[in-house]
Amino acid sequence: MQVLLSSVAADASTIYLGWGAFTIQLGNFIVIAVMLLLFVLALVLPFPAGRKRK
Amino acid sequence: MTTVVPPPTTPAGPTEANAPSAKPDEEFYTWTGKARRWMLKTLPPKKLLPETQPSYVASWIYVFGMGAIASLAVIIVSGVVLSLNGPSWWHLSSLGHFVNSMHLWSVEFFFLFMVVHLWGKFWMAAWRGGRLLTWITGVVSFAVSIGAAFTGYLLQTNFESEWISFEAKDALNAAGIGAWFNVANVGQMFMWHITLLPLAVAAIVALHVLLVRVHGVVSPLDAAETDTQLRDAAFPELTDKADR
């Protein structure tokens, strides 16, 4: 029963960030920040040289 | 079923009869023959499964489309495992909880990769060169994926999904379709999520990838028109390279 309860346990309270009328969950904010970072990195990081290049 | 009509040519030798592709002047009388000729003309095997890729594809911005497809594969596999055991499994079993989390996080990665793929394709104007349908199927797969993810959100079978469904109910009623697309009808949402929408996503993604194969990867914005890669990619059958 204890195991069952802990698997349905109360989550830690969700962290919200907010500026004025705009609010966003911290987790979602991190995901979006990671997406932007990956996009920029994809444009600037060098791609490893392959064996055969045309 | 139409009767089998023998070809009008004189009986051919073994090599001609076994030729896999149609001769240009051969006439087909059946829908299967016509379909084969159209398919081979539109997407010959060397274009469907190419051996090489243009050198400009060797860039990190091009990995996100495939990342989205890889995530979609994990979504489908984890979804199948969840279906095998039913909704109570992910509440009661730690393995079920884990597979449920895999399913959620593969969705998070799917959208992450798909949207970064969208950003890259937008800024490189990937609809150029007759690739409009590729762009449109991408947009449609984005929209359908949102629907699939939303119905999945409703199936968490917890208090959060109840909240989501009744907030959504207000929105869909306001749009006029709430009586039909009833988010409080768990059975309906379940069938949409595990049957209709996965089939729709898979079909549209497959069409999208086939269109990329048909038209080739779009060249960079500042590529010269005289670049031989572009000509060769457009007309591989005219090249004399053996590995194409």
Side-chain angles (χ1 to χ4, degrees), chain B residues 11-84:
Chain B
T15 49
E16 233 180 319
N18 295 334
S21 49
K23 298 191 286 287
D25 53 342
E26 193 177 347
E27 207 175 332
F28 287 118
Y29 296 87
T30 58
W31 72 268
T32 48
K34 288 177 179 158
R36 170 162 63 90
R37 183 179 54 198
W38 178 79
M39 279 192 259
L40 289 174
K41 183 167 70 97
T42 311
L43 201 56
K46 283 184 177 153
K47 266 177 103 172
L48 175 63
L49 294 166
E51 166 72 14
T52 57
Q53 65 185 22
S55 61
Y56 51 78
V57 178
S59 168
W60 288 112
I61 195 64
Y62 287 98
V63 313
F64 290 95
M66 205 55 216
I69 291 174
S71 310
L72 184 60
V74 178
I75 292 173
I76 290 170
V77 169
S78 56
V80 166
V81 175
L82 290 172
S83 306
L84 288 171

Side-chain angles (χ1 to χ4, degrees), chain B:
Chain B
M1 185 81 168
T2 57
T3 47
V4 174
V5 177
T9 55
T10 54
T15 49
E16 233 180 319
N18 295 334
S21 49
K23 298 191 286 287
D25 53 342
E26 193 177 347
E27 207 175 332
F28 287 118
Y29 296 87
T30 58
W31 72 268
T32 48
K34 288 177 179 158
R36 170 162 63 90
R37 183 179 54 198
W38 178 79
M39 279 192 259
L40 289 174
K41 183 167 70 97
T42 311
L43 201 56
K46 283 184 177 153
K47 266 177 103 172
L48 175 63
L49 294 166
E51 166 72 14
T52 57
Q53 65 185 22
S55 61
Y56 51 78
V57 178
S59 168
W60 288 112
I61 195 64
Y62 287 98
V63 313
F64 290 95
M66 205 55 216
I69 291 174
S71 310
L72 184 60
V74 178
I75 292 173
I76 290 170
V77 169
S78 56
V80 166
V81 175
L82 290 172
S83 306
L84 288 171
N85 292 291
S88 59
W89 184 53
W90 62 74
H91 294 296
L92 302 175
S93 150
S94 54
L95 176 62
H97 191 173
F98 177 74
V99 177
N100 196 33
S101 303
M102 284 280 292
H103 193 64
L104 166 69
W105 279 100
S106 52
V107 173
E108 297 272 343
F109 277 108
F110 175 67
F111 277 98
L112 190 156
F113 290 130
M114 180 168 53
V115 171
V116 177
H117 174 71
L118 161 64
W119 291 343
K121 294 299 139 186
F122 176 80
W123 291 111
M124 68 170 74
W127 51 81
R128 287 175 289 133
R131 295 173 174 85
L132 179 64
L133 207 51
T134 313
W135 172 261
I136 287 175
T137 49
V139 171
V140 172
S141 63
F142 187 32
V144 176
S145 302
I146 289 176
F150 167 68
T151 50
Y153 240 11
L154 299 176
L155 300 177
Q156 296 179 78
T157 57
N158 56 14
F159 285 126
E160 191 196 342
S161 58
E162 285 204 23
W163 174 261
I164 291 166
S165 62
F166 282 91
E167 293 297 293
K169 189 167 242 315
D170 290 338
L172 292 166
N173 286 347
I177 62 169
W180 173 61
F181 191 75
N182 182 0
V183 291
N185 183 343
V186 174
Q188 183 185 21
M189 293 300 108
F190 227 114
M191 299 310 302
W192 274 75
H193 183 71
I194 69 174
T195 305
L196 298 179
L197 290 167
L199 285 174
V201 170
I204 295 167
V205 167
L207 181 57
H208 183 72
V209 173
L210 286 176
L211 283 165
V212 174
R213 284 279 175 266
V214 168
H215 296 295
V217 177
V218 68
S219 54
L221 282 161
D222 46 4
E225 282 180 16
T226 53
D227 194 313
T228 52
Q229 284 188 85
L230 303 187
R231 187 206 68 211
D232 293 348
F235 301 103
E237 63 273 9
L238 295 180
T239 63
D240 54 359
K241 300 219 172 127
D243 61 347
R244 287 184 195 260

Side-chain angles (χ1 to χ4, degrees), chain A residues 8-49:
Chain A
V8 188
D11 293 328
S13 52
T14 314
I15 303 170
Y16 287 90
L17 308 174
W19 299 272
F22 177 76
T23 51
I24 184 172
Q25 288 186 22
L26 176 64
N28 279 330
F29 183 79
I30 290 172
V31 168
I32 293 169
V34 166
M35 286 167 70
L36 290 166
L37 178 69
L38 282 179
F39 182 57
V40 171
L41 287 178
L43 298 178
V44 299
L45 283 179
F47 198 77

